[in-house]
Amino acid sequence: MEVYYKSTRGNGETVTASQAILQGLSPDGGLFVPTQIPQLKKSLKELSKLSYQELAYEVMSSFLTDFTPEELKSCIEKAYDSKFDTEEIAPLAEKGGAYYLELFHGATIAFKDMALSILPHLMTVSAKKNQEEREIVILTATSGDTGKAAMAGFADVSGTRIIVFYPKHGVSPIQEKQMVTQKGANTYVVGITGNFDDAQTAVKKMFHDPELNQELAQSGFMFSSANSINIGRLVPQIVYYVYAYATLLREGKIQEGEKINAVVPTGNFGNILAAYYGKQMGLPLDKLICASNDNKVLYDFFSTGVYDKNREFILTSSPSMDILISSNLERLIYRIAGEDSAKCRELMEALSAQGKYEVTDSMRVQLEDFYGNYATEEETAQTIARVFKETGYMMDPHTAVAATVYEKYKEQTGDEKTAVIASTASPYKFTRSVMCALDAKYDAMSDFELVDELNRLTKVAVPKAIDEIRTAPVLHDRVVEAADMPGAVKDILGIQ
Ligand SMILES: *Cc1c(COP(=O)(O)O)cnc(C)c1O
């Protein structure tokens, strides 16, 4: 079965998977969605015998139908290799009655690696398939994590370059060190004197600047984006939900066909949407539990049917979930609107004009797959400390938001079904928050002292991603004002 992609705001025109990956966003401003969700081709029992890579092929080949088996297998092999510190790629840890699906064993020890390690390969294959000869230039503005994960994915992938802009005074010392020590002859890191919004706005402007795009084309380049709305990031994320189910089945923890719950710490709604697509493919998932931090727009949406971003933006210890506009939610809205792109467009336009929209009653009914709740900063810290004390398992603040919400869910519903909690970052990525959750005295220590202390307490080896930046040389020191970002891009690409 061929799967094509259409825009959530379009008039039904379709593109192939490779075209959707190359374009990222549809020209009408909508997001690409599959014309049909394919069904799992093999039984869960058969799937449970496969390696991560084999399972990735099973799932991804049903979505990316214009890729040949050789093309897709080669992308998978290049992505899920020894960059991951475990052959399982996404291991399950059973602690205190729940299963933590550890999505942080890749190059930058956070879940973004699961998709960003394969996206560059999907993109270069897509370019070839569409006779695109130009070199792909990825532009990214980052508040810390995504830029690093994107660079780690694109580093030394031929036919691509990546330029990352970050607010010079707006990221943590460890985050900055991770970025400015990035290796790879095709990676460029630029600090800007403004904040993240300035960087983001300037990047968006460059994407849509016809003159700049033409100058690039003349020199053999094209811009592309690696952000989380790309279908090439969504599809690889479905794989680990199937893999988690397959692992539980293989280990005899569940019966074939038994329904399980999934708990996901949510920001842009990409990770949980992948679970939703997995469910539509026939994976026996019951509730999709959407966990938010104090920026609880999604909790309010699931409780009231009103999405309202007009509120204070709160900085929390789970910064990757500090988001007021969850871009991937548009794909769910489109689906519950009965794939009515006019309705979807109307709501999204209301969101950009008034900062809010309300779904109809018939749309709301279809949200019953989801349960939303949130965790405060205090609750999150308490969960980190409690679970460590009870089980010796240390989790990062994003995962702790999910674990807290899962406890609330069980208390409210009495539903004790087997559950998988998406564990989205290593505690080593957020050492200060996790150590201070145990005891405020740790705040006096330096970042690397905290790393050693965490190692001493948990006996979990310090990941390479952290260890190597202690001594890694700084390779990038360019700093510009936001207004000079296009100039920096041209300079980097050697365009006069
Ligand atoms: C990006 C991120 C999230 C949020 O995932 P979404 O797909 O944006 O909902 C959660 N935790 C961590 C550590 C992340 O990096």
Side-chain angles (χ1 to χ4, degrees):
M1 183 189 74
E2 288 295 313
V3 175
Y4 293 94
Y5 291 82
K6 58 182 177 176
S7 164
T8 52
R9 303 187 199 178
N11 46 22
E13 294 155 5
T14 60
V15 297
T16 61
S18 64
Q19 287 165 340
I21 289 170
L22 265 189
Q23 289 179 36
L25 198 67
S26 170
D28 57 31
L31 273 57
F32 286 115
V33 287
T35 47
Q36 274 172 284
I37 307 266
Q39 296 300 295
L40 291 170
K41 287 182 289 197
K42 293 192 171 146
S43 73
L44 295 160
K45 184 141 211 157
E46 285 172 286
L47 293 173
S48 73
K49 297 184 182 124
L50 303 184
S51 68
Y52 192 88
Q53 293 81 353
E54 289 166 337
L55 209 127
Y57 179 76
E58 287 300 318
V59 173
M60 292 178 66
S61 60
S62 12
F63 279 93
L64 310 181
T65 53
D66 68 327
F67 282 61
T68 66
E70 296 70 35
E71 285 170 341
L72 189 56
K73 282 180 182 163
S74 139
C75 291
I76 290 168
E77 262 165 41
K78 288 175 186 159
Y80 304 114
D81 62 4
S82 60
K83 287 191 287 302
F84 286 78
D85 66 11
T86 160
E87 279 181 11
E88 288 182 273
I89 306 295
L92 265 185
E94 182 178 8
K95 299 288 165 190
Y99 293 91
Y100 292 87
L101 175 61
E102 296 186 346
L103 303 174
F104 55 75
H105 289 273
T108 73
I109 57 176
F111 113 94
K112 302 286 188 296
D113 293 327
M114 300 303 297
L116 281 167
S117 52
I118 193 162
L119 180 71
H121 305 291
L122 297 176
M123 264 192 186
T124 52
V125 169
S126 297
K128 257 194 220 113
K129 296 183 84 63
N130 291 281
Q131 288 81 45
E132 180 54 72
E133 305 271 324
R134 290 175 289 173
E135 196 169 339
I136 298 169
V137 178
I138 301 292
L139 284 189
T140 305
T142 187
S143 53
D145 285 342
T146 306
K148 174 67 192 180
M151 277 195 290
F154 280 90
D156 290 327
V157 173
S158 68
T160 72
R161 299 201 198 187
I162 175 161
I163 308 176
V164 170
F165 295 96
Y166 74 96
K168 176 78 188 152
H169 304 294
V171 300
S172 79
I174 290 211
Q175 283 177 323
E176 179 169 39
K177 191 93 197 274
Q178 276 191 307
M179 283 191 280
V180 298
T181 56
Q182 176 66 45
K183 292 183 211 149
N186 63 337
T187 67
Y188 306 88
V189 181
V190 183
I192 70 152
T193 48
N195 60 27
F196 171 66
D197 275 340
D198 299 328
Q200 175 94 309
T201 308
V203 162
K204 282 195 183 146
K205 220 167 127 192
M206 283 192 270
F207 275 126
H208 298 114
D209 178 343
E211 223 169 282
L212 182 63
N213 276 275
Q214 188 162 11
E215 283 178 75
L216 242 74
Q218 279 164 0
S219 303
F221 297 108
M222 65 176 282
F223 281 143
S224 193
S225 138
N227 66 22
S228 80
I229 50 90
N230 195 308
I231 199 81
R233 277 185 62 179
L234 194 53
V235 171
Q237 293 177 177
I238 302 169
V239 176
Y240 47 74
Y241 289 104
V242 182
Y243 186 71
Y245 193 94
T247 304
L248 288 170
L249 189 57
R250 184 172 56 245
E251 294 181 352
K253 311 283 189 190
I254 53 171
Q255 301 295 316
E256 185 169 16
E258 182 178 336
K259 285 196 167 180
I260 64 169
N261 292 322
V263 192
V264 188
T266 299
N268 240 330
F269 211 74
N271 198 357
I272 196 166
L273 187 75
Y276 180 69
Y277 280 3
K279 180 169 181 174
Q280 314 264 318
M281 291 183 86
L283 189 67
L285 295 179
D286 195 18
K287 278 290 181 217
L288 307 175
I289 298 169
C290 174
S292 302
N293 64 22
D294 277 324
N295 296 292
K296 57 183 183 58
V297 196
L298 287 166
Y299 164 66
D300 293 340
F301 172 66
F302 287 120
S303 338
T304 65
V306 177
Y307 192 97
D308 186 356
K309 72 153 181 111
N310 301 307
R311 61 182 73 204
E312 192 194 342
F313 176 80
I314 302 168
L315 290 172
T316 72
S317 58
S318 43
S320 301
M321 297 158 68
D322 290 345
I323 284 174
L324 294 181
I325 299 186
S326 299
S327 347
N328 270 297
L329 187 66
E330 180 167 345
R331 289 185 164 114
L332 178 64
I333 297 293
Y334 177 74
R335 187 139 185 118
I336 63 173
E339 311 222 322
D340 177 347
S341 54
K343 182 70 188 171
C344 185
R345 171 181 289 279
E346 173 200 315
L347 297 179
M348 295 307 131
E349 282 174 356
L351 179 63
S352 63
Q354 288 104 43
K356 68 189 252 188
Y357 62 81
E358 177 166 11
V359 297
T360 63
D361 288 342
S362 64
M363 288 169 78
R364 243 189 110 179
V365 174
Q366 296 174 71
L367 292 176
E368 64 185 9
D369 286 325
F370 294 88
Y371 165 92
N373 212 325
Y374 72 105
T376 63
E377 285 293 274
E378 198 185 337
E379 289 169 334
T380 304
Q382 279 167 359
T383 297
I384 293 174
R386 176 180 58 79
V387 174
F388 179 66
K389 202 168 137 225
E390 289 172 2
T391 71
Y393 188 64
M394 188 77 93
M395 62 179 87
D396 100 289
H398 302 77
T399 309
V401 167
T404 308
V405 165
Y406 179 51
E407 290 302 319
K408 292 186 182 181
Y409 171 78
K410 282 193 294 187
E411 209 164 287
Q412 273 178 15
T413 63
D415 180 3
E416 298 274 345
K417 249 186 236 81
T418 300
V420 166
I421 299 177
S423 178
T424 51
S426 159
Y428 280 104
K429 191 146 194 166
F430 298 96
T431 350
R432 187 162 302 275
S433 298
V434 302
M435 293 303 286
C436 290
L438 302 188
D439 192 327
K441 74 175 184 204
Y442 288 117
D443 208 22
M445 290 189 181
S446 77
D447 286 330
F448 282 113
E449 282 168 344
L450 288 170
V451 166
D452 293 331
E453 193 63 13
L454 180 57
N455 172 254
R456 200 182 61 77
L457 286 185
T458 61
K459 309 280 186 292
V460 173
V462 178
K464 206 169 96 197
I466 296 293
D467 224 19
E468 65 189 11
I469 58 169
R470 288 184 205 244
T471 52
V474 171
L475 302 172
H476 308 267
D477 59 1
R478 199 188 284 255
V479 181
V480 301
E481 283 177 29
D484 295 330
M485 284 166 55
V489 168
K490 287 207 257 181
D491 187 45
I492 284 167
L493 299 177
I495 302 172
Q496 302 317 316

